[in-house]
PDB file of all heavy atoms in Angstrom:
ATOM      1  N   VAL A  53     -21.646   4.257  14.345  1.00  0.00           N
ATOM      2  CA  VAL A  53     -20.833   4.082  13.168  1.00  0.00           C
ATOM      3  C   VAL A  53     -20.953   5.315  12.320  1.00  0.00           C
ATOM      4  O   VAL A  53     -22.032   5.833  12.130  1.00  0.00           O
ATOM      5  CB  VAL A  53     -21.296   2.871  12.355  1.00  0.00           C
ATOM      6  CG1 VAL A  53     -20.415   2.704  11.148  1.00  0.00           C
ATOM      7  CG2 VAL A  53     -21.267   1.636  13.224  1.00  0.00           C
ATOM      8  N   TYR A 232     -20.254 -11.051   3.161  1.00  0.00           N
ATOM      9  CA  TYR A 232     -20.917 -10.624   4.378  1.00  0.00           C
ATOM     10  C   TYR A 232     -22.251  -9.976   4.075  1.00  0.00           C
ATOM     11  O   TYR A 232     -23.264 -10.282   4.718  1.00  0.00           O
ATOM     12  CB  TYR A 232     -19.997  -9.655   5.118  1.00  0.00           C
ATOM     13  CG  TYR A 232     -20.452  -9.312   6.498  1.00  0.00           C
ATOM     14  CD1 TYR A 232     -20.651 -10.307   7.450  1.00  0.00           C
ATOM     15  CD2 TYR A 232     -20.681  -7.994   6.864  1.00  0.00           C
ATOM     16  CE1 TYR A 232     -21.060  -9.999   8.720  1.00  0.00           C
ATOM     17  CE2 TYR A 232     -21.090  -7.676   8.140  1.00  0.00           C
ATOM     18  CZ  TYR A 232     -21.288  -8.680   9.061  1.00  0.00           C
ATOM     19  OH  TYR A 232     -21.690  -8.365  10.319  1.00  0.00           O
ATOM     20  N   GLN A 239     -30.008 -13.505   5.785  1.00  0.00           N
ATOM     21  CA  GLN A 239     -30.546 -13.613   7.135  1.00  0.00           C
ATOM     22  C   GLN A 239     -31.803 -12.783   7.292  1.00  0.00           C
ATOM     23  O   GLN A 239     -32.778 -13.225   7.915  1.00  0.00           O
ATOM     24  CB  GLN A 239     -29.511 -13.141   8.164  1.00  0.00           C
ATOM     25  CG  GLN A 239     -28.391 -14.126   8.378  1.00  0.00           C
ATOM     26  CD  GLN A 239     -27.478 -13.658   9.486  1.00  0.00           C
ATOM     27  OE1 GLN A 239     -27.935 -13.253  10.545  1.00  0.00           O
ATOM     28  NE2 GLN A 239     -26.181 -13.692   9.238  1.00  0.00           N
ATOM     29  N   GLU A 241     -33.867 -11.985   5.016  1.00  0.00           N
ATOM     30  CA  GLU A 241     -34.927 -12.673   4.286  1.00  0.00           C
ATOM     31  C   GLU A 241     -35.499 -13.805   5.133  1.00  0.00           C
ATOM     32  O   GLU A 241     -36.715 -13.934   5.301  1.00  0.00           O
ATOM     33  CB  GLU A 241     -34.329 -13.224   2.986  1.00  0.00           C
ATOM     34  CG  GLU A 241     -35.249 -14.115   2.189  1.00  0.00           C
ATOM     35  CD  GLU A 241     -36.279 -13.320   1.428  1.00  0.00           C
ATOM     36  OE1 GLU A 241     -36.069 -12.101   1.266  1.00  0.00           O
ATOM     37  OE2 GLU A 241     -37.286 -13.900   1.007  1.00  0.00           O
ATOM     38  N   GLU A 255     -47.684 -12.541  19.385  1.00  0.00           N
ATOM     39  CA  GLU A 255     -47.221 -11.159  19.334  1.00  0.00           C
ATOM     40  C   GLU A 255     -45.739 -11.067  19.640  1.00  0.00           C
ATOM     41  O   GLU A 255     -45.154 -11.940  20.234  1.00  0.00           O
ATOM     42  CB  GLU A 255     -47.994 -10.300  20.341  1.00  0.00           C
ATOM     43  CG  GLU A 255     -49.207  -9.681  19.737  1.00  0.00           C
ATOM     44  CD  GLU A 255     -48.972  -9.149  18.331  1.00  0.00           C
ATOM     45  OE1 GLU A 255     -47.918  -8.531  18.086  1.00  0.00           O
ATOM     46  OE2 GLU A 255     -49.818  -9.405  17.480  1.00  0.00           O
TER      47      GLU A 255
ATOM     48  N   ILE B   7     -24.441   6.787  12.216  1.00  0.00           N
ATOM     49  CA  ILE B   7     -25.447   5.782  12.563  1.00  0.00           C
ATOM     50  C   ILE B   7     -25.341   5.533  14.057  1.00  0.00           C
ATOM     51  O   ILE B   7     -24.360   4.988  14.529  1.00  0.00           O
ATOM     52  CB  ILE B   7     -25.188   4.463  11.817  1.00  0.00           C
ATOM     53  CG1 ILE B   7     -25.216   4.668  10.322  1.00  0.00           C
ATOM     54  CG2 ILE B   7     -26.191   3.423  12.222  1.00  0.00           C
ATOM     55  CD1 ILE B   7     -26.565   4.754   9.746  1.00  0.00           C
ATOM     56  N   ARG B  45     -42.164  -8.659   4.455  1.00  0.00           N
ATOM     57  CA  ARG B  45     -40.858  -8.312   3.904  1.00  0.00           C
ATOM     58  C   ARG B  45     -40.806  -6.840   3.525  1.00  0.00           C
ATOM     59  O   ARG B  45     -39.807  -6.159   3.731  1.00  0.00           O
ATOM     60  CB  ARG B  45     -40.589  -9.185   2.677  1.00  0.00           C
ATOM     61  CG  ARG B  45     -39.203  -9.028   2.110  1.00  0.00           C
ATOM     62  CD  ARG B  45     -38.158  -9.475   3.108  1.00  0.00           C
ATOM     63  NE  ARG B  45     -36.959  -8.698   3.034  1.00  0.00           N
ATOM     64  CZ  ARG B  45     -35.932  -8.932   2.243  1.00  0.00           C
ATOM     65  NH1 ARG B  45     -35.972  -9.940   1.407  1.00  0.00           N
ATOM     66  NH2 ARG B  45     -34.856  -8.172   2.271  1.00  0.00           N
ATOM     67  N   ARG B 100     -15.774  -7.016  -8.708  1.00  0.00           N
ATOM     68  CA  ARG B 100     -16.268  -7.080  -7.350  1.00  0.00           C
ATOM     69  C   ARG B 100     -17.028  -5.814  -6.993  1.00  0.00           C
ATOM     70  O   ARG B 100     -18.048  -5.865  -6.314  1.00  0.00           O
ATOM     71  CB  ARG B 100     -15.117  -7.296  -6.375  1.00  0.00           C
ATOM     72  CG  ARG B 100     -14.637  -8.723  -6.373  1.00  0.00           C
ATOM     73  CD  ARG B 100     -13.344  -8.859  -5.602  1.00  0.00           C
ATOM     74  NE  ARG B 100     -13.015 -10.246  -5.360  1.00  0.00           N
ATOM     75  CZ  ARG B 100     -12.433 -11.040  -6.246  1.00  0.00           C
ATOM     76  NH1 ARG B 100     -12.126 -10.565  -7.421  1.00  0.00           N
ATOM     77  NH2 ARG B 100     -12.172 -12.290  -5.958  1.00  0.00           N
ATOM     78  N   GLU B 133     -26.662  -5.112   9.887  1.00  0.00           N
ATOM     79  CA  GLU B 133     -26.345  -5.838  11.118  1.00  0.00           C
ATOM     80  C   GLU B 133     -27.369  -5.544  12.204  1.00  0.00           C
ATOM     81  O   GLU B 133     -27.883  -6.445  12.875  1.00  0.00           O
ATOM     82  CB  GLU B 133     -24.955  -5.432  11.624  1.00  0.00           C
ATOM     83  CG  GLU B 133     -23.812  -6.060  10.906  1.00  0.00           C
ATOM     84  CD  GLU B 133     -22.481  -5.568  11.465  1.00  0.00           C
ATOM     85  OE1 GLU B 133     -22.492  -4.677  12.331  1.00  0.00           O
ATOM     86  OE2 GLU B 133     -21.454  -6.068  11.021  1.00  0.00           O
ATOM     87  N   ARG B 140     -33.839 -10.839  14.943  1.00  0.00           N
ATOM     88  CA  ARG B 140     -33.534 -12.058  15.675  1.00  0.00           C
ATOM     89  C   ARG B 140     -34.036 -11.979  17.118  1.00  0.00           C
ATOM     90  O   ARG B 140     -34.592 -12.940  17.657  1.00  0.00           O
ATOM     91  CB  ARG B 140     -32.022 -12.283  15.671  1.00  0.00           C
ATOM     92  CG  ARG B 140     -31.626 -13.698  15.954  1.00  0.00           C
ATOM     93  CD  ARG B 140     -30.140 -13.837  15.867  1.00  0.00           C
ATOM     94  NE  ARG B 140     -29.708 -14.026  14.501  1.00  0.00           N
ATOM     95  CZ  ARG B 140     -28.463 -13.838  14.098  1.00  0.00           C
ATOM     96  NH1 ARG B 140     -27.563 -13.406  14.936  1.00  0.00           N
ATOM     97  NH2 ARG B 140     -28.120 -14.068  12.851  1.00  0.00           N
ATOM     98  N   ASN B 146     -40.072 -14.915  21.569  1.00  0.00           N
ATOM     99  CA  ASN B 146     -41.372 -15.563  21.479  1.00  0.00           C
ATOM    100  C   ASN B 146     -41.271 -16.979  21.940  1.00  0.00           C
ATOM    101  O   ASN B 146     -41.160 -17.885  21.187  1.00  0.00           O
ATOM    102  CB  ASN B 146     -41.894 -15.480  20.044  1.00  0.00           C
ATOM    103  CG  ASN B 146     -42.529 -14.122  19.845  1.00  0.00           C
ATOM    104  OD1 ASN B 146     -43.238 -13.654  20.706  1.00  0.00           O
ATOM    105  ND2 ASN B 146     -42.256 -13.510  18.716  1.00  0.00           N
TER     106      ASN B 146
END
Side-chain angles (χ1 to χ4, degrees):
Chain A
V53 181
Y232 190 58
Q239 286 185 47
E241 173 77 17
E255 269 319 318
Chain B
I7 301 281
R45 187 63 215 272
R100 283 169 168 81
E133 282 179 355
R140 200 177 277 162
N146 278 317

